[in-house]
Amino acid sequence: MVWQVELKIMKENEFIRQKSHPCPASPSTEIKSTTATILREHSLYQKQIDAEKSHINTFELELRDGAAFKAWKKEMRIRAEAAETLNLQFKKAAVVATAQAILDARVFKVKENQEIAANVKQEGHRLTALNKELLLNEELTNRIRCESVFHNRGAAKEALAKVLEERRERAHKIQVETIELMSEMAAKHTVELQIKQELVCQLRALELESAHIVRTFDRNSIAGHQVLTEMSINELQERLALMKTAFKHKEDCRRSSIAASKEEVFYELHLDCYRSLTDMLVRASITESLSCNAT
């Protein structure tokens, strides 16, 4: 069953070649050997000859003796082996030296730790001795203090009474000072109240006086708005009067100029009429004289 499947797959994947066309027949016409064809063939032949020469030269060059290369290769191999042996020796020496250094460092560290431990033990013994001595001194001082306290109980009572008396005196003094300060503050407060009442009375009197004052209006005063164009009423009226007179003068001048122009126009019209009438009269007299001469 498997081989049938394989055969089926091989048939499906089998390469089917395409049928090629037959070769064309060779031409029967002869090629004429012209100068160009001859030169072309010569150049191709020359190129083939040059290529063969270069191939022969390279072949001859490659057939040289390889003794020098083999000697150089052998020398380099010897040098590499010597360097490798030196490197191995150096690594072995380094390993040995590091191992020896590790051992020396371990021994030195052990000795150092032993010395430190001995010093610590000595210091511990010294500290314990000092502690015992301090405990003894503390016991002695406590005993001395107890004895001194028993002997000085009476002096302690007197000192306590003295301190209490000083505290009482200080408290009495502070109480007296506070009473004096409170009295001073009360006196100051009363004085301030009197001053305030007097000021209030003065202000009320001023308000009453200002209510009865009749304010007069000054026509020469300004409003006081800090403006450059501010002016009083009298000045405003004077300027308005001056502007009115100037406007009236301009109006009169304009009217006089209009009347003069009208008179000039009227005079020119009368002059034109007079000229036309004189021309008509002259023409009429001329026509009459001509008619009289004709009769």
Side-chain angles (χ1 to χ4, degrees), residues 92-294:
K92 287 179 181 178
V95 169
V96 172
T98 51
Q100 188 65 33
I102 289 164
L103 290 172
D104 294 338
R106 188 177 292 172
V107 171
F108 178 76
K109 192 68 178 176
V110 168
K111 289 180 180 180
E112 188 177 0
N113 291 331
Q114 289 175 357
E115 290 176 358
I116 291 166
N119 292 326
V120 168
K121 284 180 181 179
Q122 290 177 4
E123 189 69 22
H125 292 306
R126 190 175 67 81
L127 289 172
T128 51
L130 286 171
N131 193 8
K132 288 178 181 179
E133 188 176 355
L134 286 170
L135 290 171
L136 290 171
N137 290 326
E138 191 174 355
E139 288 179 358
L140 289 172
T141 51
N142 289 329
R143 287 178 184 177
I144 292 164
R145 283 177 185 174
C146 290
E147 291 176 359
S148 64
V149 166
F150 282 121
H151 286 295
N152 296 324
R153 277 184 178 177
K157 289 180 180 179
E158 292 177 359
L160 183 62
K162 189 175 181 180
V163 170
L164 290 172
E165 188 66 26
E166 287 178 357
R167 287 181 180 177
R168 286 171 188 169
E169 290 177 357
R170 194 181 299 166
H172 181 68
K173 189 176 180 181
I174 291 167
Q175 189 175 4
V176 171
E177 289 178 355
T178 52
I179 291 165
E180 290 177 355
L181 288 171
M182 292 291 289
S183 61
E184 288 179 1
M185 289 174 68
K188 286 181 180 179
H189 186 63
T190 53
V191 171
E192 287 178 356
L193 283 174
Q194 289 177 1
I195 292 166
K196 287 179 181 178
Q197 288 176 359
E198 289 177 0
L199 290 171
V200 169
C201 292
Q202 290 177 4
L203 288 170
R204 286 179 179 174
L206 289 170
E207 286 177 356
L208 291 171
E209 288 178 1
S210 63
H212 292 293
I213 291 169
V214 179
R215 293 181 180 179
T216 58
F217 180 69
D218 189 9
R219 296 175 67 84
N220 291 321
S221 64
I222 58 175
H225 295 299
Q226 303 297 327
V227 183
L228 294 174
T229 58
E230 282 185 344
M231 62 182 72
S232 62
I233 294 172
N234 290 331
E235 185 179 358
L236 181 63
Q237 288 179 353
E238 288 177 1
R239 290 194 180 190
L240 286 171
L242 289 171
M243 288 177 71
K244 284 179 180 179
T245 53
F247 184 73
K248 190 175 181 181
H249 179 68
K250 286 182 181 179
E251 190 71 21
D252 293 337
C253 292
R254 190 167 62 81
R255 286 178 179 176
S256 62
S257 64
I258 290 168
S261 63
K262 284 182 178 180
E263 286 179 357
E264 287 180 359
V265 171
F266 185 71
Y267 178 73
E268 288 179 357
L269 288 171
H270 280 284
L271 186 61
D272 291 335
C273 291
Y274 178 73
R275 286 175 181 172
S276 61
L277 288 171
T278 51
D279 289 335
M280 288 173 67
L281 290 171
V282 169
R283 288 176 183 174
S285 62
I286 290 168
T287 52
E288 285 180 358
S289 62
L290 288 172
S291 61
C292 289
N293 291 324

Side-chain angles (χ1 to χ4, degrees), residues 12-74:
E12 288 177 357
N13 295 325
E14 188 177 0
F15 179 69
I16 299 169
R17 293 185 179 182
Q18 293 182 356
K19 292 182 179 180
S20 61
H21 296 287
C23 293
S26 61
S28 60
T29 57
E30 293 183 2
I31 297 170
K32 292 182 180 180
S33 58
T34 59
T35 307
T37 56
I38 292 165
L39 292 171
R40 195 181 300 117
E41 292 292 333
H42 177 70
S43 64
L44 290 171
Y45 184 67
Q46 192 67 36
K47 285 180 181 179
Q48 289 178 1
I49 291 168
D50 294 335
E52 288 178 358
K53 282 183 179 180
S54 64
H55 183 67
I56 291 164
N57 289 327
T58 54
F59 182 73
E60 288 176 354
L61 289 171
E62 288 175 357
L63 289 174
R64 67 183 182 276
D65 190 8
F69 175 72
K70 288 178 181 178
W72 174 79
K73 193 174 181 181
K74 186 177 180 181

